[in-house]
């Protein structure tokens, strides 16, 4: 890698944290819809997950970056036609900037939920009926559509979680194809489907982008959100194929749009946008990042750049867990300093930090900052108190 600029690992960390909106201390001031949209625009996605041990995953990154806010503001943005944000497949199911829809549609290949290639004649006919129903009834869930179109539920349940009837197969396929999108979710956390044109503005010039043009934009957007990254990091951000991502990064570097750099301690080539500034410092704010935060969902990147090993242990048998069930990495300034196994015990109105594990060498004075952050989160969750320990 002779001739490329060399960055220290500290410099790389600062660039990454700034790109993810985690470089400045949070202010005690109102969080507006515009601030929420700008935050999502910066990181491109909020991963969605149904686990509600503390609060659903897509709400947590905004709190980590902006502080306490009214989650109904985010809900209203997602339920609003022609909103700047909506839901689609990105890293996983995610809240994303609406402008990414058409490019993501070209490159998302999730055959487990788009089964349309194997549809029967009856299922193709149902697809047309669903589209017509949503034209007249935007904002309907798959359950509501099934009831309205008299589609029978699945008779034999063979899966512990997914037992889809034909309406669910059809709506998931149409959603994967971006023929239908969502106007948020209902109180049961079900998608409220609508025709794509009723959700986002479909401009003819981007309605069917060329694959290469879409890849160019997605690679650039991923790198912007990551700040500095290996080719694997860039590809993983939107689940792009690694070979094509590498080729696109090389092409953009050759064109001077991005810069290839060497980071001390990382053997792979890394990339950053041309003109990226290296922050002089990262504010020493203590934040707890959810397991699905875009800063931590690439575990390999977390180890390479921050020397922090993190795994989610939800599916690990309890006796084999090292750190707990729903563990939040603890970020302090530019270092990951520990892990907290959190649970919002709503029956007792308690935010319970069941286990706290600090990294070796972390100063004990950080305990007071952790308690302050837990108390801040408890107030946001409308819980009365904090408990630490089993």
């Amino acid at each position: 890698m002779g001739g490329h600029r060399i960055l220290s690992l500290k410099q790389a960390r600062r660039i990454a944290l700034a790109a993810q909106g985690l470089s400045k201390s949070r202010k005690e001031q109102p969080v507006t819809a515009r601030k929420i949209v700008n935050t999502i625009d910066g990181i491109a996605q909020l991963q969605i997950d149904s686990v509600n041990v503390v609060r659903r995953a897509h709400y947590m990154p905004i709190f980590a970056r902006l502080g306490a806010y009214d989650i109904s503001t985010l809900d209203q943005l997602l339920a609003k036609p022609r909103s700047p944000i909506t839901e689609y497949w990105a890293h996983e199911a995610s809240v994303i900037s609406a402008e990414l829809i058409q490019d993501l549609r070209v490159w998302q290949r999730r055959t487990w939920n788009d089964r349309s290639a194997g549809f029967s004649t009856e299922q193709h006919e149902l697809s047309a009926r669903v589209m017509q129903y949503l034209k007249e009834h935007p904002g309907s869930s798959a359950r509501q559509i099934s009831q309205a179109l008299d589609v029978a539920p699945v008779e034999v349940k063979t899966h512990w979680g997914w037992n889809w009837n034909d309406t669910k197969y059809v709506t998931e396929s149409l959603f994967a194809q971006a023929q239908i999108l969502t106007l948020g979710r209902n109180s049961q956390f079900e998608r409220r489907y609508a025709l794509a044109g009723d959700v986002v503005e479909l401009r003819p010039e981007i309605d069917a982008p060329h694959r290469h043009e879409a890849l160019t934009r997605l690679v650039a957007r991923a790198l912007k959100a990551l700040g500095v990254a290996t080719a694997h990091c860039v590809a993983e951000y939107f689940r792009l194929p690694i070979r094509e991502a590498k080729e696109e990064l090389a092409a953009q570097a050759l064109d001077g749009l991005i810069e290839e750099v060497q980071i001390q301690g990382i053997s792979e080539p890394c990339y950053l946008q041309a003109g990226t500034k290296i922050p002089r410092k990262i504010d020493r704010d203590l934040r707890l990042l959810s397991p699905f935060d875009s800063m931590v969902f690439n575990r390999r990147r977390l180890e390479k750049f921050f020397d922090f090993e993190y795994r989610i242990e939800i599916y690990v048998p309890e006796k084999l867990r090292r750190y707990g069930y729903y563990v939040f990495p603890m970020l302090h300034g530019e270092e990951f300093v520990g892990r907290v196994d959190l649970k919002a015990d709503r029956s007792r109105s308690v935010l319970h930090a069941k286990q706290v594990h600090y990294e070796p060498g972390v100063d004990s004075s950080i305990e007071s900052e952790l308690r302050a952050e837990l108390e801040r989160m408890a107030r946001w969750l409308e819980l009365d108190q904090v408990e630490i320990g089993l």
Side-chain angles (χ1 to χ4, degrees):
M1 284 189 279
H4 296 304
R5 184 158 59 120
I6 299 175
L7 300 180
S8 71
L9 201 52
K10 279 186 172 290
Q11 289 175 318
R13 289 174 178 177
R14 290 170 185 167
I15 292 170
L17 290 167
Q20 280 284 305
L22 294 166
S23 62
K24 301 295 183 183
S25 295
R26 290 159 290 177
K27 309 298 182 184
E28 296 296 335
Q29 57 187 21
V31 175
T32 63
R34 175 49 52 193
K35 289 180 180 178
I36 292 173
V37 170
N38 287 345
T39 298
I40 297 170
D41 182 63
I43 62 177
Q45 59 184 310
L46 308 175
Q47 188 173 330
I48 295 171
D49 188 83
S50 61
V51 175
N52 197 21
V53 176
V54 178
R55 177 161 269 172
R56 295 202 191 276
H58 63 293
Y59 295 120
M60 299 305 301
I62 302 298
F63 174 78
R65 288 156 178 80
L66 300 179
Y69 73 104
D70 186 347
I71 65 170
S72 68
T73 305
L74 178 55
D75 291 339
Q76 289 164 12
L77 282 166
L78 290 169
K80 180 181 178 182
R82 309 298 172 89
S83 173
I85 62 173
T86 190
E87 179 183 342
Y88 195 58
W89 291 103
H91 183 77
E92 291 294 340
S94 302
V95 174
I96 65 162
S97 297
E99 64 188 28
L100 294 175
I101 286 283
Q102 299 298 355
D103 290 338
L104 286 168
R105 178 182 60 80
V106 173
W107 283 97
Q108 297 298 297
R109 289 292 177 268
R110 299 173 192 266
T111 55
W112 65 269
N113 63 353
D114 182 359
R115 306 287 183 86
S116 57
F119 274 5
S120 64
T121 300
E122 291 78 8
Q123 287 170 319
H124 281 298
E125 291 174 351
L126 179 59
S127 295
R129 293 172 63 205
V130 167
M131 294 287 285
Q132 181 60 40
Y133 183 81
L134 289 176
K135 182 177 181 180
E136 300 168 4
H137 303 91
S140 299
S141 69
R143 179 171 47 84
Q144 290 172 319
I145 297 169
S146 285
Q147 292 171 350
L149 300 183
D150 197 25
V151 179
V154 64
E155 292 185 1
V156 180
K157 296 187 176 182
T158 58
H159 190 280
W160 65 268
W162 297 326
N163 291 285
W164 292 356
N165 71 350
D166 280 351
T167 305
K168 185 63 174 174
Y169 280 114
V170 163
T171 53
E172 286 290 333
S173 296
L174 292 172
F175 180 70
Q177 298 160 19
Q179 293 194 58
I180 64 176
L181 296 170
T182 70
L183 293 172
R185 293 188 178 227
N186 62 22
S187 59
Q188 287 78 46
F189 205 55
E190 300 169 314
R191 289 182 177 130
R192 299 176 59 246
Y193 294 107
L195 299 182
D198 290 337
V199 178
V200 298
E201 182 179 358
L202 298 179
R203 301 190 299 275
E205 67 270 21
I206 65 167
D207 189 27
H210 188 278
R211 280 176 62 81
H212 181 258
E213 293 172 349
L215 180 67
T216 298
R217 287 190 289 264
L218 290 174
V219 165
R221 193 62 176 271
L223 189 56
K224 176 185 174 184
L226 291 164
V228 61
T230 66
H232 173 270
C233 297
V234 171
E236 182 72 3
Y237 206 70
F238 291 130
R239 304 291 200 193
L240 302 172
I242 184 64
R243 181 176 63 83
E244 285 87 343
K246 282 184 175 180
E247 292 173 353
E248 181 57 30
L249 285 165
Q252 292 191 26
L254 190 63
D255 291 340
L257 300 173
I258 64 176
E259 180 184 358
E260 183 178 334
V261 296
Q262 180 181 353
I263 297 174
Q264 293 173 342
I266 297 179
S267 59
E268 302 167 63
C270 292
Y271 302 88
L272 57 123
Q273 289 187 317
T276 296
K277 295 181 179 179
I278 303 173
R280 292 184 178 181
K281 69 181 184 67
I282 301 295
D283 290 349
R284 291 180 68 79
D285 199 4
L286 189 145
R287 312 166 201 258
L288 300 176
L289 304 182
S290 84
F292 302 100
D293 193 291
S294 54
M295 187 67 225
V296 303
F297 60 38
N298 187 330
R299 315 307 193 207
R300 186 194 300 184
R301 170 178 169 81
L302 205 55
E303 290 184 34
K304 284 181 178 292
F305 282 77
F306 291 90
D307 191 27
F308 186 74
E309 181 184 342
Y310 175 64
R311 300 290 184 273
I312 190 166
E313 298 181 281
I314 290 176
Y315 304 111
V316 176
E318 184 173 4
K319 64 181 180 181
L320 299 179
R321 292 177 193 142
R322 295 176 63 191
Y323 300 111
Y325 178 74
Y326 203 65
V327 175
F328 283 56
M330 190 190 314
L331 178 65
H332 188 234
E334 59 191 67
E335 296 181 333
F336 284 89
V337 297
R339 303 162 179 80
V340 183
D341 183 18
L342 276 183
K343 176 181 175 60
D345 188 339
R346 295 175 179 87
S347 65
R348 297 191 300 128
S349 196
V350 169
L351 179 59
H352 188 189
K354 300 166 68 176
Q355 298 183 68
V356 179
H357 298 270
Y358 295 105
E359 291 290 272
V362 172
D363 194 291
S364 60
S365 63
I366 204 169
E367 293 178 8
S368 62
E369 295 186 57
L370 172 60
R371 177 166 281 278
E373 178 62 10
L374 290 170
E375 290 174 350
R376 183 204 301 243
M377 186 182 289
R379 290 193 297 272
W380 175 57
L381 295 170
E382 299 181 329
L383 301 173
D384 292 335
Q385 57 183 316
V386 167
E387 286 184 3
I388 300 177
L390 296 174

